[in-house]
Amino acid sequence: MTAIESPCILVCSIDMKTGFCFGCGRTRDEIAGWIAMTPVIRRAVMAELPARLETVERRPRRETRRARMARERDIL
């Protein structure tokens, strides 16, 4: 079975103003339909996420486990 790429950082909360997840930048519909999307469509959505995250009203308040592990891996 092939792993599906995902931008999820386990901070699942939707910004009511923009409709984007505070953690990954996807919309509810994109999150719900992620598995059914083709790899090409998923990559196209992921290319838009950095710009979307710039528009959300607040950032996640805590460092996620995934982010902490990546940071610790980079330090070593």
Side-chain angles (χ1 to χ4, degrees):
M1 181 173 216
T2 305
I4 294 177
E5 276 184 294
S6 175
C8 182
I9 62 167
L10 306 175
V11 176
C12 303
S13 183
I14 301 295
D15 175 17
M16 297 312 286
K17 184 174 180 182
T18 64
F20 301 139
C21 173
F22 289 113
C24 69
R26 294 178 292 172
T27 65
R28 288 177 192 264
D29 289 341
E30 290 167 342
I31 293 167
W34 196 252
I35 292 174
M37 291 179 185
T38 66
V40 171
I41 294 172
R42 284 194 297 266
R43 285 188 200 105
V45 170
M46 286 193 287
E48 296 176 21
L49 300 181
R52 290 181 183 183
L53 287 170
E54 292 297 319
T55 67
V56 295
E57 297 239 333
R58 67 173 171 84
R59 297 281 184 227
R61 289 182 236 170
R62 62 179 176 83
E63 181 178 40
T64 64
R65 179 174 180 264
R66 184 179 288 176
R68 187 186 76 246
M69 289 172 64
R71 180 178 48 77
E72 290 171 353
R73 190 174 44 245
D74 291 343
I75 292 172
L76 301 175

